[in-house]
Amino acid sequence: PINKPQPNINQNMKTGNAFSTILPFNQKAISMIRGDSKDYETAALLLHQGIVALEQDHYDDMESSSCDGNYPAVTGALAPISVQAKHDEISPFALYTNAMTIVQGASSTESEFADHEHANSLLHCILYYNLGLVLHLHGLSTGQDSCLAKSVYAYETAMGLLGEMERDPFVQTLELAILNNCGQIHYGLFQAQQVHSCLRLMKNTLSEITNGFQYEIPQQVSHFSANIIMNASHFARPAPAA
């Protein structure tokens, strides 16, 4: 049996070692769903624990009004998850199955507070996105609509956390993944208006990427482009009455 770790949220953690304490929750959760024998319940529990630990650490920082200069700069990376073919056969709206990981490195920003806020927001968003993906896959594998409803809530929470973050390629890919997977759930539940909204926002984000910025276009956008094209009928408007 797997011993499920319990975060020590009462510990007075400095930001540097708090980050190294929280990262393993995400990595262990991903490992629970990457193999042939997937444990969605344990993965969801680990991600919940990581979120609680991160929120407690952030609260402690606000209480002490201090930010540790050793808080690491972070960026995101993709962790492909193998999914049985039957999940993609549910609808022509393909699920995006990459989980998100976090890579940390030396801080290159002058503002320590900005580093802290960026790292906290990105990690928070990734934990919620991965929780949404875990619940999503669990719901598809068991047919439990309750899991899908919780998945949408986690995805939407992640989307809200993206609001003020810098628009770099990883953040844009994460935004597309959230919108794509929310759209996939709404498609399966025959919620046409919500599908239309997700596709429209995906199209807007893709336009931001292809219209230029100083970044290379992420390879992952081909998946989202295909879903927009395959589901173009959701952009059609009913003809006005004569």
Side-chain angles (χ1 to χ4, degrees):
I2 298 174
N3 293 321
K4 299 180 177 63
Q6 298 292 330
N8 181 6
I9 61 175
N10 294 319
Q11 181 183 6
N12 184 19
M13 299 181 292
K14 298 293 185 181
T15 50
N17 61 29
F19 200 82
S20 63
T21 300
I22 295 162
L23 276 176
F25 288 110
N26 189 65
Q27 302 309 105
K28 289 177 183 177
I30 292 173
S31 71
M32 291 288 108
I33 63 171
R34 293 194 84 171
D36 294 332
S37 179
K38 302 182 188 300
D39 189 344
Y40 296 119
E41 292 183 357
T42 300
L45 177 61
L46 286 164
L47 291 165
H48 274 297
Q49 291 174 336
I51 290 167
V52 169
L54 181 61
E55 290 177 348
Q56 182 64 44
D57 177 55
H58 188 62
Y59 174 78
D60 290 343
D61 283 339
M62 294 300 100
E63 286 288 291
S64 63
S65 301
S66 66
C67 292
D68 189 340
N70 293 324
Y71 202 88
V74 296
T75 187
L78 303 179
I81 305 297
S82 61
V83 178
Q84 295 180 8
K86 66 178 182 180
H87 290 163
D88 284 333
E89 293 170 2
I90 293 175
S91 79
F93 204 121
L95 175 66
Y96 187 75
T97 58
N98 283 324
M100 304 293 178
T101 61
I102 302 118
V103 179
Q104 66 181 71
S107 174
S108 59
T109 314
E110 293 181 1
S111 170
E112 293 173 0
F113 183 74
D115 279 353
H116 178 275
E117 286 300 306
H118 174 78
N120 184 283
S121 296
L122 184 61
L123 181 52
H124 214 160
C125 184
I126 286 173
L127 288 169
Y128 268 110
Y129 166 77
N130 285 343
L131 177 60
L133 180 61
V134 166
L135 293 168
H136 194 162
L137 293 172
H138 193 195
L140 291 178
S141 66
T142 61
Q144 296 181 23
D145 286 349
S146 60
C147 282
L148 297 178
K150 292 175 183 177
S151 173
V152 170
Y153 177 79
Y155 284 143
E156 290 178 345
T157 302
M159 189 70 179
L161 292 166
L162 281 178
E164 297 181 0
M165 296 187 67
E166 181 181 350
R167 309 290 294 170
D168 63 35
F170 179 77
V171 168
Q172 289 173 315
T173 300
L174 183 53
E175 181 175 305
L176 286 166
I178 293 167
L179 292 168
N180 182 90
N181 288 358
C182 281
Q184 203 271 350
I185 292 174
H186 293 311
Y187 190 102
L189 297 175
F190 305 102
Q191 297 169 334
Q193 183 175 352
Q194 289 90 330
V195 173
H196 171 84
S197 177
C198 290
L199 288 169
R200 176 177 53 80
L201 292 170
M202 286 170 63
K203 194 172 183 180
N204 290 345
T205 302
L206 280 172
S207 295
E208 287 182 6
I209 296 171
T210 56
N211 280 349
F213 285 359
Q214 62 269 37
Y215 308 110
E216 295 181 3
I217 297 174
Q219 295 180 351
Q220 291 76 18
V221 299
S222 60
H223 174 99
F224 309 114
S225 299
N227 265 351
I228 290 174
I229 294 169
M230 288 291 292
N231 296 280
S233 61
H234 283 278
F235 290 104
R237 297 294 188 188

